[in-house]
Amino acid sequence: MSSPTPDPTTADAAVLHPHEPEAGDLAALAARTAGDDLLAPPVRLDDVVPAPELLEADPGTTFVLAGDTAIRVTTHPGAREVADHLAELLRPATGLPLPVADALAVDPAGPMTLTLAGTTPPPPATTGGSADLGAEGYRLDVGSSEVRVVAETTAGLFYGVQTLRQLLPAAVESPTPVAGRWALPGGTILDRPRFPYRGAMLDVARHFFAVEDVLRVVDHLARYKLNHLHLHLTDDQGWRIAVDSWPRLATVGGASEVGDGPGGHYTKDDYRRIVSYASARHVTLVPEIDLPGHTNAALVAYPELAPDKVAPPPYTGTEVGFSYVDPADERTYDFVTDVLGEVAALTPGPWLHIGGDEAFKVKGEVYTGFVERAQRIVADTGKTVVGWHQLAPAAHVDGRVLQWWGTDAADPATADAVRRGARLIVSPGNHAYLDMKYAEDTRIGHDWAGLIDVRRAYDWDPGTHVTDVPTTAVLGVEAPLWTESVTSLADIEFLLLPRLPAIAELGWSPRATNDWAGFRERLAGHGPRWSTAGITFHRSPEVPWPATPTIPGQRPAATSDTAER
């Protein structure tokens, strides 16, 4: 991978790989844990973000992790992977061994059990909700002697584990052992997502980010049950993915970025690493090759794609709409076919995003003709085409998904495309664009769509937002982060958090549970978690953040006080 030198202030925290304590730490800490007070503050069952569909607290019950606590798992490879993930999350801070074993092979004292419902029937429902957990749902029961997560799929088990993680004290995010009694509040949660598509976008074209930074973003998505990462891989400022049949795209087109930085690109092995890491966390990668505009970097590498067949200079500014590949030249469609074919072959997920926005110099029938041909090329790869909502006037192809990023909910062209069969990913620029500033004095970001504080990111409904588009046509929600002003992992985290959990809750939780007053209180408890994990975030004045606990040996995270100076 060709990449810039890592930022020395963030490189040591680039990936949330748990630190494994030494065996001596495990034994010593486990021995003294039983006598320590509960870690404060205690967590309640209804503190979870995103808010669960149904919950029933049992205030008189807690489950305490102990030295003999084990994780039992049904005999299914995917379930075992989730159990190993849970153990890796909990061992560093608790110092407990937490062995993982087959459900039939572990002493029943003090277990945590992960069960795939297809192998072991779930316990009877007591919450009043349907027992059908679906493709991503789970049930979590916490009793005094057992914790049980039940799901019909490994994705559901994984999301149950993310909830379990949040029910432990914030100190569980520490990379080193913390003394204390690790208690989970008693009760039952039954939980399923509202929308099947819940995601975020990272623009790696305006500024290039190393693989480790992308993996860190994947971890943030997984923590809040977001299941898609859209990578904006190409733009005027840089081409970020290796293509064997057009090698200069990466080596020449990738050697620039906003502000005259060195740029960089992902090799195919880099990309596979991102795909694999995301898949293990039930995050599907959505690659975007932006066409027919936003292509200056491609034209620098291959001038035969330009309308005038002359190579433009590399572009390191932030204007849009000036570049495009030649829609009248058959060589352009060879290029599109080769690039989309190679990217599709690298990508196990169903989606292939072709951009389509701000192609101001390709108009009318020429534009729709190009889009229709590109859509057919995507279909020939076996993928489902996704594009920005400017694709709407083009003819429909089966499964087509439009990503709506407008600021005016009245959009007749998009509504017409939906009537013709399109589905929507909703990303309104004035609610979900996380590159917008929080306030006028925010150091980085934009304001063309307005200022987006945490409440504005939360107070809207993806299911009813676009006029004349029924909820049934909404595939889900995505929060894009464009990076014209973003140059480091700390910048990424600062703009993502705390707004990303707001978008996550809109995508996951039933609409009836969406309540700003309750959300801000639940969100406040995540500040200490991020601080403990060394994650940068904006300490928004809208949120009643508690005092950050001091954990011995823990490096404090950057918050708005440091990230904005």
Side-chain angles (χ1 to χ4, degrees), residues 221-276:
L221 269 59
R223 181 188 291 263
Y224 295 105
K225 304 183 178 75
L226 294 163
N227 63 353
H228 288 82
L229 174 61
H230 168 186
L231 282 183
H232 183 75
L233 290 167
T234 69
D235 215 297
D236 292 314
Q237 297 84 354
W239 185 283
R240 307 303 182 203
I241 181 70
V243 178
D244 292 341
S245 53
W246 297 74
R248 294 201 305 273
L249 289 171
T251 58
V252 176
S256 56
E257 64 182 4
V258 169
D260 298 315
H265 70 271
Y266 304 118
T267 66
K268 287 190 170 182
D269 282 345
D270 291 332
Y271 185 84
R272 292 186 186 101
R273 181 183 170 199
I274 295 169
V275 167
S276 176

Side-chain angles (χ1 to χ4, degrees), residues 186-202:
T188 296
I189 289 175
L190 184 70
D191 204 9
R192 293 163 291 201
R194 181 185 183 193
F195 295 108
Y197 188 107
R198 309 173 304 280
M201 187 210 80
L202 179 62

